[in-house]
Each structure stands twice: as C-alpha cells, then as structure tokens.
Amino acid sequence: MIKGYAGRILEVDLKNKTFEFKPLDEDTARLYIGGKGYGARLLYDLTSAGIDPLGPDNVLIFATGPLNGSVAPQSNRFAVVCKSPLTGGIGSATCGGSYAYGMKKAGIDVLICRNAAERPLRLEIDGDNSDVKFVDASDLWGKGSYETQKILGEKKNHAVIGPAGENKVLFAGIVSNERIAGRTGVGAVMGSKNLKAVTVSGSRKLEMEDKAAFAAYTKEVRALFRDHPVLGNSMAAYGTAAIVNTTNARNIIPTHNFKYGHFDRAKSISGEYMADHTLVGTKSSCIHCPVTCGRQVDLPGIGTVKGPEYETLGLMGSNLEISDIEKIQEWNYLADDMGMDTISLGAVLSFTMELQERGMLDSGLQFGNPAGVSEMIKDIGHRSGLGDDLADGVKRMSAKHGGEAFAMHVKGLELSAYDPRGSWGQGVEYATTNRGGCHVSGATMYMESVGPFTINPQNYKLKSDLPYVQQNIAAAINSMVLCIFTTYGIVPKFVHEADPKSWKFRAAVAAFENSGPLFRWVNSIKGKPMLWFEKWLTLITGTNISSGHIQEIGARIFNLERMYNLREGLSAADDTLPPRMLNESIFPNMKAGHPLGELLPRYYQIRGWDSRGVPTEKTLKKLQVAV
Amino acid sequence: MRVTVEPTYDMSKVLGVDSFEVEDVATVAEAVEKARERVGDEFEKLSRVAAIAVNGVLVSHTKGMKTRLSDGDRISFVKAAAGG
Ligand code: SF4
C-alpha cells in the first residue's frame, strides 16, 4: 500500500447491519488522491443515474487523504461526498475538527454508508479490532450536535448530525467538534439514512515514506506559518472574520439579499470589533493546526461557544442588514447546534425578507430587524410551519413563492458571501463549480478583491484562467484533505508588507493580470515540489508531486465531477449566476451586472470542453477520467 | 460636491466614527488629504499598507490618486486580509 494511506475502505450496510473491510484501490488513490476526489470516483461508480438523493440508493462517503493523521498544520479535515439533495448534482463538503484524525487512527481511509437504517442508529467503529457496532440511537434523536457529542464522549472522535439533518433540511451539515461539513445537504443524506452519529477509535500510526524528512520540514513550515501575516497573525487574531472590513470596502459583502455590496454598519460585525467587544480570548482549532482560527464568545445561558465565521457574518449580518453582533453569535450557535449550513440559512432568510418586503409572502421577517429570526431557525431545523418551506433552500422557495430574479443560488446551492459583480473571476468560479455557488472550490476572490495582491476584478483579464487554476488546486487540496486556508500562505510576507500604492506594486499586478496562458503554463510544469503541500505529499507517499501534478489531478477530479453532474441531468444552462447578478448594477453609475456570457466560452475552451460545456473525449482521455 | 470617506477600522477608532463626509474635493488625492487632516498624526502609520478604493474599485486599477470623483462617491481605505 502506498504510504500515507491506511489501506482500508469500510463499507457498512445500515439496513442489514453488516460491514466489510475492503482494500483501498491504489490506482484510484494515485489518480484522485483521497478525500473529495476519491469520494467522487466512488459515487460515480457505486450509484446509478437518477437516484433519489434522500433515498436508500444514495451512498454517504466519508473520505480522508494521505495528509490526514499527520501533524502537518491544517491537515486534519475529512470530505463527505454523496448525491446532493439541494442541487441534484455532486454533493461534497469538507470539515475540520478531529474526526479525520480519528478515522486514520482507526486505520480507515474511506467509510461508505449504504442503504438506510429502519430506526435511528449510530456506528461505533473500533479500528484496532476491525469491528463495527450498530447501536440504537433513539435516545439521541432530536438532540443538538453539541449535546450529542457530549453524550457520546467529548474525548472521542465523532461525526454527527443535529435535528436539521434528522429532518432532512436540504442544507443540513455534518458536525465534528465545533466544525461543520456544511454545504450541499450532506447532513440531510445522513439523516435520510437514520444515521445519527459515527464514532471512530483506534491506535494506528500513519506510515510515511520519509518520516524524518517530513518531521524536519513540518517544523520549518510551522515557523513559516507563525511568521506569516495571515496564517500567523490575522487569522489567529480575528479568524475568518478578519475580512469583513475588506470585502465591505471592496463592495462585495452581500447586503440586503445581495442587492448591494456594501453595508454601512459593517465595522460592527467585523473581526476587529469582535476582538474589541465579544471574544473571550479562548480559541478553538482543528486538531494539530497552529493557526487556531476559531475564536470563542460567551452566550448568555449557554456558555463559551465558537464565534461566527466570515460567511456567517456576511450572510446573517450584512445580508440581513443586522449589525447586532450578539444576535449573530446566538444564531450562529443555534445553526451549529441544529447542524445546518449558515451560508444557505442566511441566504434563505434574506430571500424570505425580500419576499416580505415585496408583499409576496408574509413571514414577519424584515431586513434590519432581528425579531423572529431565532424562532425561524428553530422552525427550519424542525421543519415546522413556514420553516418547512425555508428548509428546502432558496431555489425551491422561489419556485413555490416566486422571486426567481432575486433567488441567490447557483445550481441550487446558495451563494457564499462574495458578490460576483465586484469579483468577476469569482463569478466564473461560482457558475462553473460543480457543487454550485461555492467559494472554497477555488477562492478566486482572494486574488481579485480580498488578498493583498489583487488584479482588477472588473475587466476581462485572467477571469477565465484564474478560476481554472484555482479550481484545480482546490480540488487537489480538498482531496489530501487539507484546509483550503493554506492557500493564503502562498502569498509571501513581503507582498503583505509592500505598499499597494507604489508603482512597483502596481506594475507587478499589471504583469500578472496580463499573464493569461503563461500563468496556466507555469502552473502546469511538472518539476520538483515547491509548496509545502506538494512536499508533504511527496515525503509521505514517496511519489514526486509538483504544481503540474496538482493541476493535472485537480483537473481530473473537476472533470469527473462534471461528468457526474451531466449524467444526473445538469447542463451548461446551469453554469449561470442569479439574474440579479447578471442584470442589476451593484452601485449607482456602475456597469450593470456580471458579464458571464462573455467569459464562459473561454473558460470552456481552457477546460477542454465543447461549446455545450461537455468535456471532450480528448480531455477525458488525457486526464484519464474513466466514465 | 460631497463624498463619503470610509476609514479603516483602526482609523475609525481614532476618529470615533465609521465614516465621514467631505466636500469640495475633485480627486482621490484631495479626499485623502482631508482624511489626513482629520486623522492627524497617526495617519501615516494607519494608512501605510492600506489601498484606496472608490466605490469598491481600487484606484490602482484606475487613475491612481488622480482618479476624479463624482458626487456621492465612497472612498475607502482598504486593508487586505484573509478568511472565508
Ligand atoms: S486554519 Fe482554521 S479551519 Fe483551517 S485547519 Fe486550522 S483551525 Fe481548522
């Protein structure tokens, strides 16, 4: 077995309560690494076209990668893959916490859950004895994600769902510690299988090709991270909330259901404001991560809990025109405990507020007014009253109540907290990403509107090349499985410290902006490993991995996911943005909308797809994507 | 002509306001000068690595400090960050 892998897949049948350990396929591991990539391969092969995502034929796949189980910073995340009940296409989400580490300790690379249990069930996996217990979970059914983990034992490693997953809220997630695999409704699929929790234990050690070199190099990387302005400083101090003021100033923070990109009171929901007023000084981290980006707050009557991330502040703060940070903190906790994605939740709430504003649906929810929001979150989680409609997400809400023109989703997945009208490459990424309106499948906005070195986000330069390269990197990173925030470290310290107003800086940005095909070519070179994740993979698996390999593997995963979506009935017509993003101006006097139609043909061409967005045979052959 | 200046979080702490309005400025340079006067001694330190945006667009992508302003524009001091 290739080093870095446990070498085992565990397949459980929840209906018949049987299990089987199978060998991991080395060829698949070489082609798709693990995590999201290996999961996509299994999903494609194990399911037939057109299955009901919430029926027993869907498979729920928990997949780790070769970096999991090591002490490399940011390296303990797992991926969940299944058919998405929200989009009908590929469902995938990754999650930190400690569960990925636990799976590798148990000697399991991938867990496949098939069928559906007849009654609430939980799994106890004992990796050392290769045993699985199917335990009745009726006593846990209805309990929140925090209480469930507490009852199961806080020192053990779990992946659990809350009431939202049990009630098949279409944007329910799967929780490990305080982290959540939030997107595409993976928690609803777990709930549809009556699976409340998975607990893993074991004492296996991760085998590596060159352990000594890995340890020495990881020490160097830790020092590099400590000294990095983002990974060692702003993320540690403010967490992801560090970007609120930046996205607000750049006009891309969602406001009033994405009508605007700027919120006058954004400073009151920023990371800096939280540090000054509500953070209690303690932090939470995924296991072995020195970045410790989770920051905690006190909630009256609850105690010390995880504070809201940027996405939550954007979608449930500015997007609802709420600047009461205490309220957002409370909603964040409620959503986490219910086990639901705060991005989709915030978007469905803002959509409902706009319906109210236009007199199309009387929910009582209004922009700028926190009244009724807490109750609605609970109603969504329990699918009671109008909450039952909101639990189906924005796309289905708009089909039922109208408002397609301002329904903020792509392929059914609600948009993250970056307005693509102020970040055109991010718009291309949203439109083409296989799981829908997601920002961690490329994070193009970092090079356009968020980071220290940003190209002009509103011209045609690099707007197809950049998402292509970024999506490939992200697909590979989500398959190792590493935290996507590691990519922020790629921009070196000296760039952060340079004056963006200087002519040298501006000349460098202009040169990058004009690099187009050269940029893609440089990234495609197969040479020696340069970046830390390339070196880690090389040292652990013994196979040389460079940026060219990362691009190739990422493109392979991306195309396989694309083929899955096409098989399930999605098409180029789904590579679009919400009408509001295409037709409305983000700021008075500015050009109306995102020019997606002018950018997509070049993107398809770069991807090796035909004009209908279908990967050509040549592309699939070159990338070794078997379909 | 009246435009809004949106300082960084740290500048806002010094000023005690989230944003302020300035009048009779034709270019970004003139608006920045007004901000300098208002923030005082700490301006250089607080604006050192901040970029400047007009209505969200960095002036480095337009005409730099010579970028002309229109009534109702918003001039923001932007600090790069990371998260998501
Ligand atoms: S950076 Fe944050 S989210 Fe990423 S692994 Fe570290 S603690 Fe977890």
Side-chain angles (χ1 to χ4, degrees):
Chain A
M1 179 47 56
I2 313 166
K3 298 276 169 56
Y5 296 88
R8 294 198 297 180
I9 291 180
L10 170 61
E11 192 167 325
V12 297
D13 181 329
L14 296 165
K15 182 165 184 261
N16 298 306
K17 299 188 184 170
T18 55
F19 68 91
E20 190 182 355
F21 283 91
K22 297 176 170 177
L24 186 88
D25 185 65
E26 290 200 24
D27 289 338
T28 306
R30 279 198 189 89
L31 289 170
Y32 294 95
I33 308 180
K36 170 189 163 104
Y38 203 112
R41 185 70 263 174
L42 284 171
L43 178 71
Y44 195 99
D45 294 341
L46 295 177
T47 57
S48 318
I51 57 162
D52 173 5
L54 296 176
D57 293 337
N58 201 358
V59 288
L60 182 69
I61 299 161
F62 294 83
T64 63
L67 293 190
N68 302 141
S70 78
V71 295
Q74 304 181 304
S75 73
N76 278 295
R77 295 181 74 82
F78 61 98
V80 188
V81 180
C82 55
K83 181 172 182 178
S84 166
L86 198 57
T87 70
I90 186 107
S92 75
T94 64
C95 179
S98 62
Y99 179 77
Y101 192 72
M103 268 183 77
K104 289 302 273 289
K105 290 291 256 183
I108 300 163
D109 298 304
V110 180
L111 165 66
I112 305 170
C113 301
R114 283 179 174 270
N115 255 323
E118 273 151 24
R119 291 156 45 116
L121 193 77
R122 65 184 177 87
L123 298 177
E124 268 189 21
I125 300 168
D126 175 352
D128 289 350
N129 293 305
S130 300
D131 189 33
V132 180
K133 286 197 173 59
F134 298 81
V135 186
D136 181 83
S138 310
D139 55 330
L140 296 174
W141 209 248
K143 296 204 186 307
S145 66
Y146 287 120
E147 194 187 351
T148 300
Q149 292 183 88
K150 203 169 173 187
I151 292 170
L152 292 174
E154 279 168 336
K155 290 222 162 70
K156 294 188 190 161
N157 302 310
H158 319 284
V160 309
I161 54 169
E166 295 170 11
N167 296 315
K168 301 188 261 297
V169 172
L170 297 190
F171 46 88
I174 297 174
V175 178
S176 167
N177 300 355
E178 294 179 319
R179 306 280 168 171
I180 181 164
R183 307 232 69 194
T184 67
V186 293
V189 174
M190 190 157 161
S192 75
K193 297 191 172 302
N194 269 322
L195 179 60
K196 177 70 180 175
V198 182
T199 303
V200 278
S201 62
S203 57
R204 293 238 192 152
K205 289 218 158 53
L206 188 74
E207 288 195 31
M208 299 183 189
E209 202 63 39
D210 194 340
K211 209 165 195 161
F214 174 85
Y217 181 62
T218 300
K219 217 170 151 189
E220 273 177 45
V221 176
R222 281 182 174 264
L224 185 95
F225 278 21
R226 250 196 318 274
D227 197 37
H228 191 271
V230 173
L231 299 178
N233 190 350
S234 72
M235 285 277 278
Y238 310 120
T240 55
I243 66 173
V244 168
N245 289 320
T246 309
T247 54
N248 191 47
R250 298 296 299 268
N251 226 8
I252 60 164
I253 198 165
T255 305
H256 202 103
N257 193 33
F258 280 84
K259 194 168 172 58
Y260 314 110
H262 182 268
F263 181 47
D264 286 342
R265 288 169 279 137
K267 285 197 174 85
S268 304
I269 58 167
S270 67
E272 292 92 325
Y273 184 90
M274 286 174 67
D276 281 347
H277 296 92
T278 64
L279 298 189
V280 293
T282 50
K283 295 186 195 171
S284 66
S285 161
C286 304
I287 195 163
H288 297 314
C289 180
V291 178
T292 55
C293 73
R295 297 123 312 110
Q296 295 181 312
V297 297
D298 273 344
L299 276 194
I302 304 284
T304 303
V305 298
K306 190 190 86 181
E309 303 287 341
Y310 169 73
E311 300 299 328
T312 312
L313 294 160
L315 269 306
M316 302 195 69
S318 53
N319 201 35
L320 308 184
E321 299 205 68
I322 297 291
S323 57
D324 181 342
I325 192 70
E326 313 261 344
K327 277 282 164 212
I328 302 169
Q329 289 173 177
E330 179 198 323
W331 299 338
N332 181 58
Y333 172 79
L334 259 179
D336 281 353
D337 197 41
M338 285 276 164
M340 61 174 103
D341 171 26
T342 53
I343 299 178
S344 292
L345 173 63
V348 82
L349 287 169
S350 68
F351 179 73
T352 307
M353 287 175 178
E354 187 153 351
L355 288 176
Q356 172 85 32
E357 188 177 67
R358 291 169 179 258
M360 295 166 73
L361 177 70
D362 186 15
S363 62
L365 297 178
Q366 289 173 317
F367 288 111
N369 186 353
V373 172
S374 303
E375 292 74 15
M376 184 56 88
I377 295 173
K378 289 180 203 157
D379 282 350
I380 293 170
H382 293 116
R383 278 194 177 272
S384 36
L386 189 59
D388 192 24
D389 282 4
L390 273 73
D392 284 339
V394 166
K395 184 179 174 187
R396 287 168 180 81
M397 272 287 280
S398 66
K400 183 166 179 183
H401 298 285
E404 277 96 342
F406 52 89
M408 303 306 301
H409 69 87
V410 173
K411 300 182 174 73
L413 185 70
E414 290 76 9
L415 288 195
S416 316
Y418 311 90
D419 191 316
R421 289 170 297 180
S423 197
W424 287 4
Q426 182 60 47
V428 173
E429 183 185 321
Y430 278 145
T432 56
T433 285
N434 295 304
R435 73 174 186 171
C438 148
H439 66 293
V440 292
S441 298
T444 303
M445 77 297 174
Y446 190 63
M447 300 302 289
E448 287 189 309
S449 311
V450 179
F453 187 83
T454 55
I455 57 171
N456 185 341
Q458 288 171 316
N459 66 18
Y460 294 92
K461 294 176 182 175
L462 222 56
K463 301 304 179 295
S464 302
D465 310 71
L466 192 55
Y468 166 84
V469 169
Q470 295 283 108
Q471 284 169 328
N472 291 346
I473 295 176
I477 281 181
N478 286 324
S479 302
M480 295 176 189
V481 181
L482 199 59
C483 174
I484 193 72
F485 298 151
T486 207
T487 53
Y488 297 142
I490 297 174
V491 180
K493 187 180 177 184
F494 74 87
V495 176
H496 287 264
E497 291 172 345
D499 185 351
K501 299 182 280 304
S502 69
W503 72 266
K504 275 190 200 162
F505 196 98
R506 292 168 61 185
V509 169
F512 178 49
E513 204 174 79
N514 287 307
S515 64
L518 179 69
F519 171 62
R520 280 185 286 120
W521 178 75
V522 169
N523 272 283
S524 73
I525 295 172
K526 288 183 180 163
K528 290 271 159 236
M530 302 282 281
L531 294 169
W532 47 94
F533 45 85
E534 296 161 7
K535 285 193 189 170
W536 280 331
L537 264 188
T538 303
L539 293 170
I540 290 177
T541 64
T543 306
N544 183 60
I545 298 286
S546 65
S547 72
H549 298 96
I550 295 286
Q551 282 296 310
E552 185 180 67
I553 295 168
R556 178 178 301 128
I557 295 165
F558 199 87
N559 276 278
L560 176 65
E561 288 185 336
R562 178 78 178 183
M563 292 309 292
Y564 178 82
N565 277 357
L566 294 171
R567 190 185 85 176
E568 298 304 318
L570 280 81
S571 69
D574 297 292
D575 295 340
T576 189
L577 290 170
R580 168 162 284 166
M581 298 293 100
L582 296 172
N583 306 325
E584 294 180 25
S585 159
I586 195 170
F587 201 85
N589 309 326
M590 285 182 86
K591 268 185 239 148
H594 184 285
L596 185 67
E598 290 159 71
L599 294 165
L600 265 189
R602 179 167 156 75
Y603 175 88
Y604 282 3
Q605 184 217 328
I606 291 170
R607 274 261 167 241
W609 297 352
D610 66 20
S611 58
R612 296 166 304 133
V614 178
T616 61
E617 259 181 50
K618 194 174 151 204
T619 301
L620 296 178
K621 200 168 162 209
K622 192 174 123 207
L623 293 170
Q624 294 175 265
V625 180
V627 286
Chain B
M1 188 175 59
R2 182 184 279 249
V3 299
T4 303
V5 176
E6 189 175 60
T8 63
Y9 182 85
D10 289 338
M11 284 186 204
S12 276
K13 268 169 70 171
V14 173
L15 295 168
V17 291
D18 279 0
S19 61
F20 56 89
E21 296 199 333
V22 294
E23 288 183 15
D24 302 326
V25 285
T27 63
V28 169
E30 288 172 29
V32 169
E33 199 42 46
K34 295 257 183 183
R36 185 193 307 274
E37 284 164 19
R38 188 148 175 167
V39 177
D41 293 346
E42 292 201 65
F43 181 82
E44 295 306 331
K45 191 179 104 198
L46 294 174
S47 66
R48 201 177 63 81
V49 290
I52 295 165
V54 176
N55 306 332
V57 179
L58 290 188
V59 297
S60 53
H61 300 315
T62 52
K63 295 229 163 68
M65 299 300 268
K66 291 185 195 135
T67 303
R68 296 200 72 78
L69 298 174
S70 308
D71 198 41
D73 278 350
R74 188 180 67 237
I75 296 103
S76 309
F77 288 86
V78 196
K79 276 173 84 175

